[in-house]
Amino acid sequence: MAAAGELEWRRLLHKICEGFSSLSGSPTELYKAYLLKFLDSYSYFSFSIIFTLFLSEDFGFGDVAAGSIYGAWGALVTVYGVVSGVMVDNMGVAMSLKVGFSLSLLSRISIFF
């Protein structure tokens, strides 16, 4: 039975590698866009993990209040993503990625000060 599980993992790994190999002829801008998306997602999920704990332990919010604040924050992030689509169309993808990443970095740094 262990051999069947190992074979399944090998198939999955092979399928993932095939997906990455299809990007071999892509322009470097695509890799930059994926890198920025990875970094943004990493910071978003890292922040999401600690946000409610931070609100509960450091600010004394209860679980429900901290969860409500987290939900409001998540809703605002979603609304921002929808509204900023118009800005991306007007500025272009490359410039909007630079501006968006810079604003995101500055906002997350300002949380600590």
Side-chain angles (χ1 to χ4, degrees):
M1 191 68 160
E6 183 179 335
L7 183 61
E8 189 65 31
W9 278 104
R10 288 181 186 262
R11 286 182 188 160
L12 180 62
L13 183 61
H14 180 69
K15 189 173 183 177
I16 291 171
C17 290
E18 282 179 353
F20 282 113
S21 66
S22 67
L23 296 173
S24 63
S26 300
T28 58
E29 289 82 9
L30 182 63
Y31 290 108
K32 291 175 185 176
Y34 280 144
L35 176 65
L36 289 176
K37 181 61 181 165
F38 170 76
L39 293 173
D40 182 58
S41 297
Y42 181 77
S43 65
Y44 177 85
F45 290 116
S46 298
F47 184 75
S48 295
I49 290 170
I50 64 167
F51 189 50
T52 53
L53 295 174
F54 179 72
L55 289 172
S56 297
E57 292 179 12
D58 290 353
F59 288 105
F61 286 103
D63 291 343
V64 174
S68 297
I69 294 169
Y70 173 73
W73 176 75
L76 288 174
V77 167
T78 302
V79 168
Y80 171 76
V82 171
V83 171
S84 64
V86 175
M87 294 172 27
V88 170
D89 289 341
N90 291 329
M91 291 190 308
V93 174
M95 181 56 90
S96 65
L97 282 172
K98 292 173 187 173
V99 170
F101 181 73
S102 300
L103 288 174
S104 179
L105 180 65
L106 289 174
S107 66
R108 289 184 174 127
I109 288 173
S110 69
I111 290 172
F112 297 106
F113 299 107

